[in-house]
């Protein structure tokens, strides 16, 4: 750890997390620690993570900016856009900033913009020499879970969680009511932000059918773009809520589930943030030690020694996608029932009539 000068000021703090939903959610404990010792916390998020940022306790305001060196679908660097951000941040007069990144991202380009914006104190985790860009250059163990990695940074600057805070992922308490009227259902979320992490659709459909055959009501969720995928996976034995929920509504649906079956993608961390057990269909392209669902009971499925291990591939480089194709429907059912117990034994209405349509 390299520190230049005193610890972080405790006034108006800017936190920066410029990637996606899951990345923002796992930063939640660190943001609560900042809020516990600061006058206010503003989060600068990317377009993909802004909705999640608005669900986090301790975040007073959310700014949105598409960052060309962080976003997974980067735009060209636009000088006018960059300087508009710099001018906006300068006008807001933050006392300190923390740049949160994953282990493979550099905080230094963002720190340069914050210096140009006149932010007087900046902290980040960085393996690279920062020169005068950082006041706190923190180093961590690479195998830490992402929530602990982010929390380690703010602790190094003298901030910590409030007394009684368990350090897990959390959402604000004012989620909307869940659009589901049954108490025992399983959510299956087949989509992923990165194709290499997806459970093959045919395998996923088999898992939905097997869960239904074992007596579970099944809800399939996804984005508007994933409605066809969700319909194919759900078949005639699940309700398709894809494209019918906001992120907050999806959080409520996950909160009411007995378990969630999902790949390594944002809704896995959303499920963890509402305390729901997760069957994690985890492709080992990134380490599970860092990115598995945090702080909730979970079962990890998938070959963690597959040839794609630690490749950070966005599309599977191995023919047949063996790391997840090898996971059977019966393994999924067994994992759900390990976490949630058996379904209600008495006959229940079909999923199509047991679950309300989202209005």
């Amino acid at each position: 750890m390299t520190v230049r000068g005193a610890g972080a000021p405790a006034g108006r703090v800017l936190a920066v997390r410029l990637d996606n939903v899951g990345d923002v959610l796992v930063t939640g404990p660190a943001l609560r620690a900042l809020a516990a010792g600061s006058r206010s916390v503003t989060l600068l998020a990317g377009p993909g993570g802004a909705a999640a940022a608005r669900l986090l306790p301790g975040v007073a305001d959310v700014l949105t900016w598409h960052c060309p060196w962080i976003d997974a679908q980067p735009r060209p660097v636009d000088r006018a856009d960059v300087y508009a951000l710099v001018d906006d941040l300068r006008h807001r007069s933050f006392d300190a900033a923390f740049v949160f990144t994953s282990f493979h991202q550099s905080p230094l380009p963002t720190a340069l913009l914050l210096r140009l914006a006149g932010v007087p104190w900046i902290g980040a985790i960085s393996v690279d020499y920062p020169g005068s860009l950082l006041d706190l250059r923190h180093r961590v163990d690479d195998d830490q879970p992402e929530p602990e990695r982010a929390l380690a940074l703010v602790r190094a600057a003298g901030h910590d969680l409030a007394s009684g805070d368990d350090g897990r992922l959390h959402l604000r308490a004012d989620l909307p009511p869940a659009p589901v009227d049954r108490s025992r259902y399983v959510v299956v979320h087949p989509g992923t932000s990165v194709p290499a992490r997806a459970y093959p659709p045919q395998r996923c459909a088999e898992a939905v059918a097997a869960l239904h055959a074992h007596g579970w009501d099944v809800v399939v969720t996804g984005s508007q773009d994933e409605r066809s995928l969700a319909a194919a996976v759900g078949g005639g034995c699940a309700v398709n809520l894809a494209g019918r929920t906001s992120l907050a509504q999806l959080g409520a649906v996950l909160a009411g589930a007995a378990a969630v079956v999902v790949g390594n993608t944002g809704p896995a961390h959303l499920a963890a943030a509402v305390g729901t057990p997760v069957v994690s269909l985890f492709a080992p392209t990134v380490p599970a030690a860092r990115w598995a669902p945090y702080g909730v009971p979970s079962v990890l499925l998938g070959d963690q020694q597959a040839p794609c291990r630690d490749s950070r591939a966005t599309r599977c480089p191995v023919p047949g996608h063996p790391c997840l194709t090898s996971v059977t429907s019966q393994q999924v059912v067994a994992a759900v029932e390990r976490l949630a117990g058996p379904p209600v034994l008495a006959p229940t209405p079909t999923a199509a009539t047991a679950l309300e349509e989202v209005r």
Side-chain angles (χ1 to χ4, degrees):
M1 177 173 68
T2 302
V3 180
R4 299 169 60 243
R12 299 181 67 248
V13 173
L14 176 69
V16 183
R17 186 80 212 213
L18 291 164
D19 25 27
N20 292 321
V21 166
D23 308 290
V24 170
L25 292 173
V26 299
T27 313
L31 298 173
R32 298 198 307 272
L34 286 178
S38 305
R39 191 160 81 240
S40 67
V41 174
T42 296
L43 181 59
L44 176 62
R54 295 185 181 97
L55 298 178
L56 293 181
V59 175
D61 191 19
V62 178
L63 309 176
T64 305
W65 186 62
H66 185 115
C67 180
W69 49 87
I70 294 292
D71 198 274
Q73 297 179 324
R75 302 170 184 168
V77 176
D78 183 293
R79 183 178 185 275
D81 181 53
V82 168
Y83 277 96
L85 174 69
V86 168
D87 289 345
D88 183 36
L89 297 180
R90 179 180 291 278
H91 176 74
R92 293 172 186 271
S93 298
F94 292 104
D95 298 300
F98 290 82
V99 183
F100 295 101
T101 54
S102 294
F103 68 97
H104 58 278
Q105 298 168 338
S106 172
L108 298 186
T110 305
L112 174 60
L113 296 193
L114 298 178
R115 284 291 189 228
L116 293 175
V119 178
W121 191 99
I122 303 171
I125 294 170
S126 180
V127 298
D128 299 315
Y129 172 65
S132 61
L133 295 180
L134 298 179
D135 297 280
L136 169 61
R137 176 199 183 191
H138 191 51
R139 304 289 294 272
V140 297
D141 182 346
D142 281 345
D143 288 330
Q144 278 187 305
E146 286 286 310
E148 295 178 14
R149 184 178 189 273
L151 190 57
L153 170 61
V154 302
R155 282 175 168 159
H159 294 271
D160 209 343
L161 294 164
S163 176
D165 191 320
D166 60 12
R168 296 181 181 179
L169 309 191
H170 290 292
L171 302 185
R172 295 182 185 273
D174 56 348
L175 290 180
V180 179
D181 68 355
R182 307 300 288 182
S183 60
R184 294 288 288 174
Y185 61 90
V186 171
V187 169
V188 175
H189 187 93
T192 57
S193 58
V194 175
R197 301 177 191 172
Y199 195 35
Q202 180 58 39
R203 280 284 198 238
C204 198
E206 292 167 1
V208 169
L211 287 164
H212 179 70
H214 276 73
W216 287 101
D217 285 336
V218 182
V219 180
V220 180
T221 57
S223 68
Q224 183 68 36
D225 293 340
E226 294 165 344
R227 290 199 69 180
S228 295
L229 170 64
V233 164
C237 55
V239 166
N240 179 4
L241 293 186
R244 300 182 180 183
T245 62
S246 66
L247 190 66
Q249 288 174 314
L250 177 59
V253 171
L254 299 180
V260 178
V261 181
V262 60
N264 177 26
T265 194
H269 305 294
L270 191 64
V274 295
T276 300
V278 178
V279 177
S280 178
L281 299 162
F282 200 98
T285 52
V286 295
R290 296 171 184 156
W291 284 105
Y294 185 75
V296 293
S298 63
V299 175
L300 198 73
L301 298 179
D303 180 3
Q304 300 305 295
Q305 303 304 317
C308 63
R309 182 182 181 187
D310 295 338
S311 66
R312 300 209 305 271
T314 58
R315 296 192 176 276
C316 182
V318 184
H321 198 29
C323 67
L324 290 179
T325 302
S326 59
V327 178
T328 68
S329 61
Q330 292 307 309
Q331 286 177 308
V332 172
V333 172
V336 166
E337 297 191 352
R338 175 179 164 187
L339 293 171
V344 176
L345 297 180
T348 62
T350 64
T353 59
L355 304 171
E356 296 179 355
E357 290 293 327
V358 176
R359 295 175 174 83

